[in-house]
Amino acid sequence: MGAYIFRRLLLIIPTLFGIMAINFALVQFVPGGPIDQIISNLEGQSDGFDLLGGSNADAGISGRSVQMGASAYKGARGLSEDFIRDLEIQFGFDKPPLTRFWLMMKKYITFDFGESYFRSVSVMDLVLEKMPVSITLGLWSTVIAYMIALPLGIKKAVREGSRFDSWTTAILVAAYAIPTFLFAVMLVIVFAGGSYFQWFPLRGLTSSNFSDLTVMGKMLDYLWHIFLPVLAGSIGGFTTLSLLTKNSFLDEIKKQYVITARAKGLPERRILYGHVFRNAMLIIIASFPGIFIGVFFGGSLFIETIFSLDGLGRMGFEATISRDYPIMFATIYVFTLLGLLVKILSDLTYVWIDPRIDFGNRQS
């Protein structure tokens, strides 16, 4: 098993390299780079609002960017070629794309993500600052999805064809059809001071007086703030997982070993949780990476935006809009690396659930 884990860890390197290479190549064909963004801001061609934190005048360009100006070759009216060349050197665009990519990946191996183009702040500091928000949403949403889906799916399998099975299936199908962002907006409108109730806060993970609260008060305040975002993030995962659990248990219940156990007079509960559960959980565990990554990647942007949470998803989106390449590529790098590590964790859980599985003896 140790050799298998070692091989999987080694495979992370080419996989991560390939994903980063594809994204880097695609960016080369996207019009409007960082230099164009800076020139647009300097010449007043932008809309006056910077997604990274306010108006262009006070937050759009800071630090060295303000001193040097901006560059957009088509919009650089009245700017000398020497000035444009200085900007290219400052941002590293004087080098060929392959050279820039190689230098970037050499730094990324040591988690050196450089400095933001427009904030003059270390990207690593920004990632560490935003990471807790995204992990909170992804982890809690996945945990809640499993806590609801597993018992619901088991009960649906045991009571297949009953009225309970029918109406819960209808609810699950309806819930699955609702997009995550739309469900989040509905929660805000109904429960966060939209048009009906103001039971939950609209933004942030903690209150302004969080530091003054007791330990219990901090826990309750934290749960109060994350309730709606986590509920919105769980909806897509738990609907799919509930039906997957039901189908997995139904498939196991019909197998010969269950019929034999019943013939021996074993209690139904012991058959269900002592034999069927372990085998049925294999496919459910296999779906964990997909559900977790789906919540962590796909839903985080919408949920963080709607509930005004400052996490990695929102930061990556804003960096893409503003062409802040260090933040954009760092976000892709972190998300991809987490996804690959979660996949390995899923394989290890496979072995823990069913010791008969031995990835170490696999030939391919």
Side-chain angles (χ1 to χ4, degrees):
M1 188 64 186
Y4 170 76
I5 296 175
F6 180 71
R7 290 197 301 269
R8 288 296 302 274
L9 290 175
L10 287 181
L11 282 174
I12 288 180
I13 298 175
T15 305
L16 194 59
F17 186 89
I19 293 175
M20 294 298 297
I22 292 173
N23 283 276
F24 186 88
L26 291 175
V27 165
Q28 307 310 308
F29 299 98
V30 177
I35 299 180
D36 298 287
Q37 295 288 325
I38 297 175
I39 289 181
S40 178
N41 279 281
L42 289 178
E43 297 187 351
Q45 297 174 355
S46 65
D47 58 4
F49 180 79
D50 182 15
L51 287 172
L52 295 175
S55 65
N56 293 327
D58 59 12
I61 307 173
S62 61
R64 61 178 184 178
S65 299
V66 170
Q67 299 172 3
M68 294 298 299
S71 81
Y73 308 111
K74 293 183 179 180
R77 299 189 299 250
L79 298 179
S80 66
E81 293 184 2
D82 291 338
F83 180 74
I84 298 298
R85 190 176 302 110
D86 289 339
L87 286 176
E88 292 178 340
I89 295 174
Q90 176 185 345
F91 290 106
F93 292 110
D94 57 318
K95 302 179 181 66
L98 288 178
T99 302
R100 286 189 281 118
F101 176 74
W102 176 247
L103 293 175
M104 180 185 74
M105 292 306 299
K106 284 178 62 177
K107 293 181 179 180
Y108 278 22
I109 292 176
T110 60
F111 292 92
D112 179 8
F113 299 128
E115 186 175 284
S116 168
Y117 285 163
F118 305 109
R119 297 190 184 186
S120 295
V121 178
S122 168
V123 175
M124 190 61 185
D125 292 340
L126 289 173
V127 170
L128 293 177
E129 178 186 344
K130 314 300 182 185
M131 181 77 77
V133 176
S134 296
I135 290 181
T136 293
L137 291 178
L139 186 60
W140 278 110
S141 297
T142 306
V143 169
I144 296 300
Y146 270 80
M147 289 177 62
I148 296 175
L150 292 184
L152 178 59
I154 294 173
K155 190 170 183 179
K156 286 174 63 62
V158 173
R159 302 179 59 180
E160 183 193 17
S162 65
R163 294 181 61 185
F164 171 81
D165 182 36
S166 299
W167 65 260
T168 52
T169 299
I171 294 176
L172 289 175
V173 171
Y176 182 77
I178 301 176
T180 300
F181 74 92
L182 182 58
F183 185 68
V185 171
M186 290 170 56
L187 291 177
V188 170
I189 293 174
V190 176
F191 299 109
S195 302
Y196 299 93
F197 308 103
Q198 195 168 359
W199 293 349
F200 297 94
L202 184 58
R203 63 181 65 242
L205 287 180
T206 57
S207 301
S208 57
N209 62 336
F210 182 79
S211 59
D212 300 328
L213 301 176
T214 62
V215 174
M216 181 58 68
K218 290 181 179 180
M219 292 177 59
L220 293 176
D221 182 75
Y222 172 75
L223 294 175
W224 182 47
H225 279 76
I226 70 171
F227 182 82
L228 291 185
V230 168
L231 181 61
S234 304
I235 188 69
F238 107 85
T239 53
T240 303
L241 188 58
S242 297
L243 297 176
L244 180 63
T245 303
K246 174 193 172 182
N247 294 332
S248 179
F249 270 78
L250 282 176
D251 184 57
E252 291 295 325
I253 289 174
K254 297 175 182 178
K255 291 185 176 179
Q256 184 63 42
Y257 74 89
V258 176
I259 299 175
T260 303
R262 286 172 176 167
K264 290 181 178 180
L266 293 179
E268 190 69 21
R269 187 175 183 85
R270 182 178 175 184
I271 295 174
L272 186 63
Y273 293 99
H275 299 279
V276 175
F277 185 81
R278 291 173 64 90
N279 295 325
M281 282 296 292
L282 291 176
I283 190 172
I284 298 170
I285 291 174
S287 67
F288 173 79
I291 293 176
F292 177 77
I293 299 304
V295 173
F296 192 68
F297 293 174
S300 61
L301 170 60
F302 300 112
I303 295 173
E304 288 172 11
T305 302
I306 293 171
F307 291 97
S308 301
L309 300 176
D310 200 8
L312 283 177
R314 186 180 178 188
M315 182 182 72
F317 172 74
E318 293 173 349
T320 302
I321 296 299
S322 63
R323 303 297 192 271
D324 198 340
Y325 291 159
I327 295 180
M328 185 175 70
F329 287 122
T331 305
I332 296 173
Y333 186 88
V334 171
F335 277 176
T336 304
L337 182 60
L338 285 176
L340 294 173
L341 292 176
V342 168
K343 180 59 178 176
I344 296 177
L345 179 61
S346 175
D347 289 345
L348 295 178
T349 311
Y350 250 135
V351 178
W352 176 65
I353 293 293
D354 190 350
R356 296 173 300 175
I357 298 177
D358 186 3
F359 290 106
N361 292 331
R362 293 174 57 183
Q363 299 300 319
S364 61

